[in-house]
Amino acid sequence: MGLAAKLYSFVVIRGFKVWVSYKTQVALNFISWTIPVFLYYFIGLTFGVGKMTAAIASNYSYTAFATVGIAFQGYFSSAVATLAGRIRNEELIGTLEYQMAAPLKPMSLMFYSTVWGFVINSISTVTVLAIGYGLGIKYIINPLSTLVVLLLYMVSIIGLNLISGAVVLIVKQGNPVALFTSVATNILGNVVFPVSILPTWLKDMSYALSLTWALDGLRRAMLLGEGLGSMVNDLVVLTILSIIYIIIGIWLTNYAFRKILEQGTVHMY
Protein backbone atom coordinates (compact mmCIF):
# COMPACT_ATOMS: atom_id res chain seq x y z
CA MET A 1 0.00 0.00 0.00
CA GLY A 2 1.50 3.33 -1.09
CA LEU A 3 1.58 6.63 0.75
CA ALA A 4 -1.49 8.01 -1.02
CA ALA A 5 -3.52 4.88 -0.28
CA LYS A 6 -2.53 4.97 3.40
CA LEU A 7 -3.46 8.63 3.70
CA TYR A 8 -6.78 7.96 1.98
CA SER A 9 -7.53 5.08 4.36
CA PHE A 10 -6.72 7.02 7.51
CA VAL A 11 -8.08 10.44 6.50
CA VAL A 12 -11.08 9.74 4.26
CA ILE A 13 -12.32 6.30 5.25
CA ARG A 14 -11.35 6.16 8.90
CA GLY A 15 -11.60 9.89 9.62
CA PHE A 16 -13.85 12.00 7.43
CA LYS A 17 -16.53 9.41 6.62
CA VAL A 18 -16.91 8.48 10.27
CA TRP A 19 -17.02 12.15 11.31
CA VAL A 20 -19.70 13.23 8.83
CA SER A 21 -21.84 10.18 9.65
CA TYR A 22 -22.56 11.79 13.03
CA LYS A 23 -24.32 14.91 11.78
CA THR A 24 -25.20 16.21 15.23
CA GLN A 25 -21.55 16.00 16.23
CA VAL A 26 -20.54 17.90 13.09
CA ALA A 27 -23.00 20.66 13.95
CA LEU A 28 -21.74 20.79 17.54
CA ASN A 29 -18.16 20.98 16.28
CA PHE A 30 -18.93 24.05 14.20
CA ILE A 31 -20.79 25.66 17.09
CA SER A 32 -17.88 25.01 19.45
CA TRP A 33 -15.49 26.59 16.91
CA THR A 34 -17.73 29.63 16.40
CA ILE A 35 -18.79 30.63 19.91
CA PRO A 36 -15.28 31.49 21.27
CA VAL A 37 -14.66 33.91 18.39
CA PHE A 38 -17.78 35.92 19.20
CA LEU A 39 -17.06 35.67 22.93
CA TYR A 40 -13.64 37.26 22.61
CA TYR A 41 -14.94 39.68 19.99
CA PHE A 42 -17.32 41.14 22.55
CA ILE A 43 -14.60 41.06 25.20
CA GLY A 44 -12.44 43.03 22.79
CA LEU A 45 -15.22 45.57 22.31
CA THR A 46 -15.69 45.91 26.05
CA PHE A 47 -12.07 45.93 27.19
CA GLY A 48 -10.37 46.91 23.95
CA VAL A 49 -8.50 49.82 25.46
CA GLY A 50 -7.52 48.01 28.63
CA LYS A 51 -4.41 46.32 29.93
CA MET A 52 -4.42 43.44 27.43
CA THR A 53 -4.51 45.68 24.37
CA ALA A 54 -1.66 47.76 25.78
CA ALA A 55 0.34 44.57 26.44
CA ILE A 56 -0.07 43.42 22.84
CA ALA A 57 1.78 46.55 21.71
CA SER A 58 1.14 45.87 18.01
CA ASN A 59 -0.77 47.34 15.12
CA TYR A 60 -3.77 45.04 15.48
CA SER A 61 -6.72 44.77 17.83
CA TYR A 62 -7.29 42.41 20.72
CA THR A 63 -10.01 40.70 18.65
CA ALA A 64 -7.48 39.96 15.91
CA PHE A 65 -4.99 38.72 18.53
CA ALA A 66 -7.54 36.33 20.07
CA THR A 67 -8.95 35.14 16.74
CA VAL A 68 -5.57 33.98 15.41
CA GLY A 69 -4.87 32.35 18.77
CA ILE A 70 -8.17 30.46 18.78
CA ALA A 71 -7.77 29.48 15.13
CA PHE A 72 -4.41 27.76 15.59
CA GLN A 73 -4.44 26.57 19.20
CA GLY A 74 -6.62 23.60 18.24
CA TYR A 75 -3.63 21.95 16.58
CA PHE A 76 -1.85 22.03 19.91
CA SER A 77 -4.64 20.74 22.15
CA SER A 78 -7.22 18.84 20.11
CA ALA A 79 -4.78 17.09 17.81
CA VAL A 80 -2.96 15.66 20.81
CA ALA A 81 -6.23 14.43 22.26
CA THR A 82 -7.28 13.00 18.87
CA LEU A 83 -4.46 10.46 18.61
CA ALA A 84 -4.57 9.52 22.29
CA GLY A 85 -8.35 9.21 22.15
CA ARG A 86 -8.18 7.02 19.06
CA ILE A 87 -5.68 4.68 20.69
CA ARG A 88 -7.82 4.57 23.82
CA ASN A 89 -10.88 3.74 21.73
CA GLU A 90 -9.03 0.94 19.93
CA GLU A 91 -8.07 -0.50 23.32
CA LEU A 92 -11.65 -0.42 24.58
CA ILE A 93 -13.23 -2.07 21.53
CA GLY A 94 -10.41 -4.61 21.25
CA THR A 95 -9.09 -3.73 17.80
CA LEU A 96 -5.63 -2.45 18.78
CA GLU A 97 -4.21 -5.98 18.56
CA TYR A 98 -5.45 -6.32 14.99
CA GLN A 99 -3.80 -3.04 14.05
CA MET A 100 -0.58 -4.15 15.70
CA ALA A 101 -0.71 -7.33 13.60
CA ALA A 102 -1.21 -5.39 10.38
CA PRO A 103 1.76 -4.91 8.01
CA LEU A 104 2.35 -1.40 9.32
CA LYS A 105 5.24 -0.40 11.54
CA PRO A 106 4.31 1.03 14.96
CA MET A 107 5.76 4.43 14.09
CA SER A 108 3.83 4.50 10.82
CA LEU A 109 0.63 3.53 12.64
CA MET A 110 1.08 6.42 15.06
CA PHE A 111 2.01 8.89 12.33
CA TYR A 112 -0.90 8.12 10.02
CA SER A 113 -3.28 8.21 12.97
CA THR A 114 -2.28 11.83 13.62
CA VAL A 115 -3.20 12.99 10.13
CA TRP A 116 -6.96 13.18 10.73
CA GLY A 117 -6.31 15.44 13.72
CA PHE A 118 -4.57 17.89 11.39
CA VAL A 119 -7.43 17.71 8.87
CA ILE A 120 -10.24 18.35 11.34
CA ASN A 121 -8.32 21.17 12.98
CA SER A 122 -7.59 22.71 9.57
CA ILE A 123 -11.36 22.89 8.99
CA SER A 124 -11.67 24.57 12.39
CA THR A 125 -8.86 27.03 11.58
CA VAL A 126 -10.39 28.12 8.26
CA THR A 127 -13.81 28.50 9.91
CA VAL A 128 -12.48 30.68 12.74
CA LEU A 129 -10.37 32.87 10.43
CA ALA A 130 -13.34 33.35 8.10
CA ILE A 131 -15.55 34.42 11.01
CA GLY A 132 -12.83 36.83 12.10
CA TYR A 133 -12.75 38.32 8.62
CA GLY A 134 -16.51 38.74 8.77
CA LEU A 135 -16.10 40.59 12.07
CA GLY A 136 -13.79 43.10 10.43
CA ILE A 137 -10.28 41.68 10.98
CA LYS A 138 -7.90 42.75 8.22
CA TYR A 139 -5.36 40.09 7.31
CA ILE A 140 -2.06 41.22 5.77
CA ILE A 141 -0.66 37.78 5.04
CA ASN A 142 2.94 37.09 4.13
CA PRO A 143 2.54 33.64 2.50
CA LEU A 144 6.17 32.50 2.92
CA SER A 145 6.45 33.50 6.58
CA THR A 146 3.06 31.97 7.38
CA LEU A 147 3.97 28.70 5.65
CA VAL A 148 7.37 28.36 7.36
CA VAL A 149 5.99 29.08 10.85
CA LEU A 150 3.05 26.74 10.27
CA LEU A 151 5.29 23.88 9.06
CA LEU A 152 7.56 24.18 12.11
CA TYR A 153 4.49 24.31 14.33
CA MET A 154 3.08 21.15 12.69
CA VAL A 155 6.37 19.30 13.29
CA SER A 156 6.19 20.15 16.98
CA ILE A 157 2.57 18.93 17.07
CA ILE A 158 3.59 15.58 15.56
CA GLY A 159 6.07 15.19 18.39
CA LEU A 160 3.40 15.99 20.99
CA ASN A 161 1.01 13.56 19.31
CA LEU A 162 3.57 10.77 19.56
CA ILE A 163 4.25 11.58 23.21
CA SER A 164 0.55 11.63 24.07
CA GLY A 165 -0.23 8.40 22.23
CA ALA A 166 2.73 6.61 23.80
CA VAL A 167 1.65 7.68 27.29
CA VAL A 168 -1.82 6.22 26.72
CA LEU A 169 -0.28 2.94 25.55
CA ILE A 170 1.73 2.75 28.77
CA VAL A 171 -0.67 4.01 31.45
CA LYS A 172 -3.81 2.60 29.74
CA GLN A 173 -6.22 5.00 31.46
CA GLY A 174 -6.13 8.77 31.50
CA ASN A 175 -4.27 11.17 29.28
CA PRO A 176 -2.06 13.47 31.37
CA VAL A 177 -0.39 14.95 28.27
CA ALA A 178 -3.73 16.04 26.80
CA LEU A 179 -4.76 17.48 30.16
CA PHE A 180 -1.54 19.47 30.37
CA THR A 181 -1.82 20.79 26.82
CA SER A 182 -5.43 21.80 27.44
CA VAL A 183 -4.42 23.80 30.50
CA ALA A 184 -1.34 25.13 28.73
CA THR A 185 -3.31 26.50 25.78
CA ASN A 186 -5.75 28.36 28.00
CA ILE A 187 -3.27 29.78 30.50
CA LEU A 188 0.26 29.70 29.13
CA GLY A 189 -0.03 29.46 25.37
CA ASN A 190 -0.33 33.10 24.24
CA VAL A 191 -3.80 32.27 22.90
CA VAL A 192 -6.28 34.84 24.23
CA PHE A 193 -3.96 37.08 26.24
CA PRO A 194 -0.27 37.94 25.78
CA VAL A 195 2.27 36.12 27.90
CA SER A 196 3.80 39.46 28.85
CA ILE A 197 1.05 39.98 31.46
CA LEU A 198 1.85 36.67 33.19
CA PRO A 199 3.92 36.43 36.37
CA THR A 200 7.58 35.78 35.65
CA TRP A 201 7.53 32.11 36.67
CA LEU A 202 4.52 31.37 34.45
CA LYS A 203 6.04 33.37 31.63
CA ASP A 204 9.15 31.18 31.76
CA MET A 205 6.98 28.06 31.54
CA SER A 206 5.11 29.43 28.53
CA TYR A 207 8.38 29.84 26.63
CA ALA A 208 8.84 26.05 26.73
CA LEU A 209 5.70 25.62 24.60
CA SER A 210 5.94 25.67 20.82
CA LEU A 211 2.44 27.18 20.77
CA THR A 212 3.68 30.43 22.34
CA TRP A 213 6.28 31.01 19.65
CA ALA A 214 4.13 29.73 16.78
CA LEU A 215 1.24 32.07 17.60
CA ASP A 216 3.60 35.03 17.90
CA GLY A 217 5.07 34.23 14.48
CA LEU A 218 1.68 33.58 12.87
CA ARG A 219 0.25 36.86 14.14
CA ARG A 220 3.20 38.80 12.79
CA ALA A 221 3.03 36.95 9.46
CA MET A 222 -0.76 37.11 9.02
CA LEU A 223 -1.74 40.39 10.67
CA LEU A 224 1.34 42.53 9.99
CA GLY A 225 2.74 40.83 6.89
CA GLU A 226 6.24 40.52 8.36
CA GLY A 227 8.93 38.55 6.53
CA LEU A 228 11.18 35.79 7.82
CA GLY A 229 14.04 38.17 8.54
CA SER A 230 12.11 39.97 11.28
CA MET A 231 11.13 36.81 13.16
CA VAL A 232 14.41 34.89 13.29
CA ASN A 233 14.19 34.50 17.07
CA ASP A 234 10.74 32.88 16.89
CA LEU A 235 11.86 30.54 14.11
CA VAL A 236 15.04 29.43 15.89
CA VAL A 237 13.26 28.67 19.17
CA LEU A 238 10.37 26.95 17.37
CA THR A 239 12.85 24.78 15.44
CA ILE A 240 14.66 23.75 18.63
CA LEU A 241 11.42 22.91 20.43
CA SER A 242 10.14 20.93 17.41
CA ILE A 243 13.32 18.83 17.33
CA ILE A 244 13.11 18.18 21.07
CA TYR A 245 9.43 17.15 20.85
CA ILE A 246 10.10 14.84 17.89
CA ILE A 247 13.09 13.12 19.54
CA ILE A 248 11.15 12.52 22.77
CA GLY A 249 8.07 11.38 20.83
CA ILE A 250 9.94 8.84 18.71
CA TRP A 251 11.87 7.46 21.67
CA LEU A 252 8.77 7.21 23.87
CA THR A 253 6.69 5.60 21.09
CA ASN A 254 9.30 2.91 20.45
CA TYR A 255 9.59 2.32 24.21
CA ALA A 256 5.79 2.07 24.62
CA PHE A 257 5.32 -0.47 21.83
CA ARG A 258 8.30 -2.50 23.02
CA LYS A 259 6.95 -2.48 26.58
CA ILE A 260 3.38 -3.59 25.78
CA LEU A 261 4.64 -6.30 23.40
CA GLU A 262 7.10 -7.66 25.95
CA GLN A 263 4.49 -7.65 28.72
CA GLY A 264 1.68 -8.90 26.48
CA THR A 265 -0.61 -6.04 27.55
CA VAL A 266 -1.75 -4.89 24.09
CA HIS A 267 -5.28 -6.16 24.78
CA MET A 268 -5.50 -4.61 28.26
CA TYR A 269 -7.07 -1.27 29.07
Side-chain angles (χ1 to χ4, degrees):
M1 182 182 292
L3 175 61
K6 291 176 182 176
L7 288 174
Y8 179 82
S9 298
F10 278 87
V11 175
V12 179
I13 299 177
R14 192 182 178 196
F16 183 76
K17 287 187 176 180
V18 173
W19 182 59
V20 297
S21 67
Y22 296 91
K23 294 180 174 55
T24 301
Q25 182 62 34
V26 172
L28 292 175
N29 283 152
F30 276 96
I31 292 173
S32 68
W33 298 334
T34 302
I35 289 178
V37 184
F38 287 98
L39 173 64
Y40 290 105
Y41 170 71
F42 290 116
I43 289 177
L45 291 179
T46 306
F47 304 105
V49 295
K51 182 178 180 181
M52 285 190 291
T53 299
I56 293 171
S58 293
N59 298 320
Y60 49 82
S61 65
Y62 171 72
T63 300
F65 177 93
T67 298
V68 173
I70 294 168
F72 290 98
Q73 68 87 22
Y75 288 109
F76 193 83
S77 57
S78 300
V80 173
T82 298
L83 175 60
R86 175 162 288 177
I87 291 175
R88 179 65 177 154
N89 186 61
E90 301 293 348
E91 289 178 338
L92 291 172
I93 64 179
T95 55
L96 184 60
E97 286 182 289
Y98 294 101
Q99 292 197 26
M100 294 282 291
L104 196 64
K105 295 180 180 179
M107 190 60 64
S108 297
L109 174 63
M110 297 284 275
F111 173 77
Y112 286 112
S113 295
T114 68
V115 177
W116 172 243
F118 287 116
V119 173
I120 189 68
N121 279 285
S122 295
I123 298 174
S124 168
T125 296
V126 172
T127 302
V128 171
L129 292 176
I131 293 172
Y133 181 80
L135 292 175
I137 296 175
K138 303 300 182 183
Y139 299 109
I140 308 173
I141 300 175
N142 184 309
L144 179 59
S145 299
T146 302
L147 179 62
V148 171
V149 175
L150 194 56
L151 285 176
L152 289 173
Y153 181 39
M154 293 300 102
V155 172
S156 73
I157 296 302
I158 292 174
L160 286 172
N161 269 278
L162 294 176
I163 294 171
S164 180
V167 169
V168 170
L169 285 172
I170 296 171
V171 303
K172 300 299 182 184
Q173 295 191 33
N175 188 359
V177 177
L179 176 62
F180 170 76
T181 54
S182 177
V183 174
T185 57
N186 290 303
I187 300 177
L188 307 175
N190 200 28
V191 177
V192 294
F193 53 84
V195 296
S196 59
I197 69 174
L198 294 174
T200 301
W201 64 279
L202 282 177
K203 191 186 303 182
D204 292 339
M205 290 178 61
S206 73
Y207 291 148
L209 303 174
S210 63
L211 177 65
T212 300
W213 302 94
L215 289 181
D216 184 60
L218 286 168
R219 288 185 179 109
R220 294 164 65 182
M222 298 182 66
L223 298 175
L224 302 177
E226 292 188 15
L228 295 176
S230 63
M231 57 180 70
V232 173
N233 186 55
D234 287 343
L235 295 175
V236 170
V237 177
L238 192 54
T239 300
I240 294 173
L241 289 175
S242 299
I243 293 173
I244 293 173
Y245 291 175
I246 284 289
I247 291 174
I248 295 175
I250 291 174
W251 178 84
L252 196 58
T253 297
N254 288 328
Y255 170 79
F257 274 99
R258 185 170 64 251
K259 183 179 178 65
I260 63 175
L261 288 173
E262 288 176 351
Q263 295 181 345
T265 57
V266 178
H267 65 287
M268 297 177 64
Y269 56 89

